[in-house]
């Protein structure tokens, strides 16, 4: 993980939609909860590392399909910098 420089850590929480209680898949087994699916997909986001991007740090699953995501956060956006008309260097990937 790159140093934060002028970024800070932030956390946000949300609820994954719950599945109906009596639903099974075509194989007869219970369906995987949406929060578990999100946890699996989040692992890919954690691998994205670039010095110009804020990074996702971690995700935690709580009770009742609640998810808490920890990520870097920059106070100033690209839009703010463009308003100030400061010269910027950028790279195209």
């Amino acid at each position: 993980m790159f140093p934060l420089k002028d970024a800070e850590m932030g956390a946000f929480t949300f609820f994954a939609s719950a599945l109906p209680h009596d639903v099974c898949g075509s194989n007869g087994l219970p369906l995987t909860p949406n929060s578990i699916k999100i946890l699996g997909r989040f692992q890919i986001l954690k691998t994205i590392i670039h010095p110009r991007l804020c990074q996702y740090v971690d995700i935690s699953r709580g009770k009742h399909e609640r998810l808490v995501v920890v990520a870097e956060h920059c106070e100033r956006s690209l839009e703010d910098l463009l308003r100030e008309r400061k010269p910027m260097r950028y790279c195209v990937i």
Side-chain angles (χ1 to χ4, degrees), residues 8-87:
E8 300 173 356
M9 291 292 210
F12 57 93
T13 182
F14 63 94
F15 291 91
S17 60
L19 297 172
H21 292 289
D22 299 336
V23 176
C24 291
S26 60
N27 58 3
L29 297 173
L31 296 174
T32 304
N34 287 325
S35 60
I36 299 295
K37 291 179 186 177
I38 293 169
L39 278 171
R41 293 175 181 165
F42 183 83
Q43 302 310 311
I44 297 168
L45 291 176
K46 284 174 50 174
T47 64
I48 299 172
I49 298 173
H50 191 277
R52 305 263 192 273
L53 296 175
C54 289
Q55 187 173 351
Y56 287 104
V57 177
D58 200 10
I59 188 169
S60 176
R61 181 175 179 252
K63 294 181 180 179
H64 310 295
E65 299 292 306
R66 182 185 199 121
L67 295 163
V68 178
V69 177
V70 178
E72 292 178 346
H73 175 268
C74 293
E75 232 177 87
R76 295 170 42 176
S77 68
L78 176 60
E79 184 179 0
D80 295 337
L81 294 172
L82 289 173
R83 280 191 197 134
E84 294 172 9
R85 297 192 184 268
K86 288 189 176 180

